[in-house]
Amino acid sequence: MRSIAFLIVLAELVLLGPLYVMYGQVDPCRALAREIAARAEAAGGLGVTVEDAFGNLEINARKDIADRSTGACVGELFSNWGGRVTGK
């Protein structure tokens, strides 16, 4: 019984650990919002400057992805990570 509990905890650490290390949270949709905000800040531009002056980019990204499911957020987060690797 202890080995099963250990395996469950280990699986959670492996799956949720990277989210916590990279974004400080384990909710995939919030991590995606933080990723979108970070990419927008890195891209820069006048629209980002204006939006950042009048609000928080991460909060605005959360509003944009509020209707997505957790699975959709995980899929988009993985595609964003793939975009980082390939430079897109």
Side-chain angles (χ1 to χ4, degrees):
M1 192 66 165
R2 286 185 185 174
S3 61
I4 293 172
F6 174 76
L7 289 175
I8 291 172
V9 170
L10 184 64
E12 288 177 356
L13 286 174
V14 168
L15 295 175
L16 301 177
L19 285 177
Y20 187 75
V21 169
M22 292 175 68
Y23 303 106
Q25 51 205 345
V26 294
D27 180 21
C29 290
R30 286 188 176 214
L32 177 61
R34 186 169 283 183
E35 174 77 16
I36 290 170
R39 291 187 111 193
E41 282 183 25
L46 180 61
V48 173
T49 305
V50 170
E51 188 173 343
D52 196 25
F54 293 108
N56 188 338
L57 292 172
E58 185 178 344
I59 292 173
N60 292 337
R62 283 186 198 173
K63 290 177 186 175
D64 291 341
I65 63 169
D67 61 339
R68 296 186 187 151
S69 68
T70 302
C73 289
V74 168
E76 193 167 337
L77 194 58
F78 280 136
S79 71
N80 277 342
W81 288 347
R84 275 190 180 191
V85 171
T86 61
K88 292 183 181 181

